Amino acid sequence: MKFSISSTQLLAQLQIAGGAIGSNPVLPILEDFLFVIKDNKLTITATDLETTIVTSIEVMADNNGSVAIPAKILVDTLKALPQQPITFNVDEDTFGIEITSAYGKYKLAGENGQDFPKIPEPEGVDSIKMDAPVLAQGISKTLFATSNDELRPAMTGVYFQVDFGKLVLVATDAHKLVKYTFTNLNSEVSTSFIVPKKALNLVKNALPGEGSVNLSFNKANAFFTFDDMQIICRLIDARYPDYNAVIPVDNPNELSATRSDFQNSLKRIAIYANKTTNQVILNIQDGSLTVSAEDLDFSNAATEQLTCNYDGDPMTIGFNAKFLVEMLGVLDADEIKINLSSPTRAGILTPVEEMENQEILMLVMPVMLSN
């Protein structure tokens, strides 16, 4: 089997697919890319058995066939070559591979492509179609709030709730929660599932800046298909917590402020906060927001005052500065508002102006004030 391709085009595809390869594969062949040639089309597959990326590219080939090629040595070789056509010659008996460039020849040992694990097929799936930038935005705005706690597997992914014309994405780690709603969906499906963090990171990085993405899913797997690429992942088999139960409904106190001013103030004040709690204290009164922190262990303290609009009773409440800064960094709005009920209940952070067909709600738990 022999085929030719541009070195930079191939490298671009391999760098995307390589994201699926795990750091400690359970099988040696999982360190490889599966190359399948059919009718002058090269399909590249990489998997860690949980997440799989399949991408394809046109090549000049003399016949069909398949081979598994060690990923690291191939990617390192292509990175070291300037752009040029390269030719792969695969011995169909030994699976030895010879790559020819303008500079010389490189030999490496491949494996039988038939030994590569079978990839899940989209059987018995429901599908929804949406704009790629909208999905990318939904993932970007929720992924940071997922948990790393393996004892709570449901929280290590993003919860997708498809409700006919509406898609809701939810992520939480029990300290913060993000709910992103997209309401302009053309769908006849009502269901929910949890997509792992690793797969969503790969989807977010691979999604095109325009066009649409087809999301198919069954009880076991989700299939993200766009352009010449498919990302397949095994869904998290766990029950997602009832997130609506933790969102406080009655929040009569409303603070609104300029997002960038508030975020920059928090970044400066956080330098002086206790490094364990990252606690900053917000003292909110009519027209004035005082942000302060102190670290008694090192006698560090800082205070800043911002102008704001505030409708409600004066309040002093503590938050983890790291969480607030992270949330404010994800919001695109110039003005944000925080709805509060009491110093012991969660604050609701939202943009003052929502984007069309999209809503975002962020919840952050307070840090209890020490007396």
Side-chain angles (χ1 to χ4, degrees), residues 18-135:
I21 296 176
S23 49
N24 294 306
V26 289
L27 302 169
I29 201 166
L30 295 179
E31 294 180 349
D32 297 356
F33 292 115
L34 174 64
F35 277 31
V36 177
I37 300 272
K38 189 176 181 184
D39 303 333
N40 286 324
K41 192 173 205 177
L42 166 62
T43 301
I44 302 162
T45 304
T47 186
D48 64 358
L49 299 181
E50 297 282 333
T51 309
T52 304
I53 298 183
V54 183
T55 178
S56 55
I57 187 171
E58 298 292 328
V59 296
M60 298 282 292
D62 63 354
N63 61 350
N64 298 338
S66 69
V67 65
I69 305 181
K72 187 174 187 314
I73 190 169
L74 178 57
V75 169
D76 287 348
T77 304
L78 293 173
K79 279 181 181 173
L81 283 172
Q83 180 172 358
Q84 61 188 284
I86 53 172
T87 302
F88 285 72
N89 211 327
V90 180
D91 185 315
E92 295 183 15
D93 296 323
T94 66
F95 303 105
I97 300 147
E98 184 178 86
I99 304 170
T100 307
S101 76
Y103 295 95
K105 294 183 186 297
Y106 321 94
K107 290 186 176 178
L108 57 158
E111 295 183 69
N112 188 343
Q114 301 296 321
D115 296 337
F116 203 79
K118 290 283 174 279
I119 304 307
E121 294 288 334
E123 294 169 350
V125 293
D126 290 313
S127 296
I128 57 173
K129 196 171 185 178
M130 59 194 301
D131 290 340
V134 171
L135 179 59

Side-chain angles (χ1 to χ4, degrees), residues 322-363:
K322 189 164 154 259
F323 295 160
L324 278 181
V325 167
E326 217 171 11
M327 290 173 155
L328 291 166
V330 168
L331 291 172
D332 301 323
D334 295 331
E335 296 275 323
I336 56 95
K337 60 184 179 182
I338 304 179
N339 291 84
L340 303 160
S341 58
S342 78
T344 57
R345 297 191 68 199
I348 302 289
L349 182 63
T350 53
V352 169
E353 289 186 17
E354 295 280 8
M355 293 177 69
E356 190 181 4
N357 299 323
Q358 298 174 46
E359 284 175 26
I360 186 159
L361 175 148
M362 297 186 171
L363 174 149

Side-chain angles (χ1 to χ4, degrees), residues 178-245:
V178 181
K179 177 185 175 188
Y180 174 88
T181 308
F182 173 65
T183 52
N184 191 20
L185 194 67
N186 188 7
S187 152
E188 295 173 7
V189 184
S190 179
T191 189
S192 60
F193 49 89
I194 308 168
V195 183
K197 184 188 300 191
K198 175 180 175 177
L200 288 176
N201 256 318
L202 294 170
V203 170
K204 182 183 74 168
N205 294 335
L207 278 171
E210 55 187 32
S212 61
V213 54
N214 193 66
L215 169 54
S216 307
F217 40 87
N218 52 28
K219 286 204 170 359
N221 299 292
F223 305 80
F224 297 85
T225 308
F226 45 92
D227 295 346
D228 290 322
M229 186 174 301
Q230 186 173 57
I231 299 179
I232 306 161
C233 67
R234 188 181 297 174
L235 298 172
I236 295 173
D237 184 14
R239 187 187 176 91
Y240 205 75
D242 180 6
Y243 65 88
N244 282 313

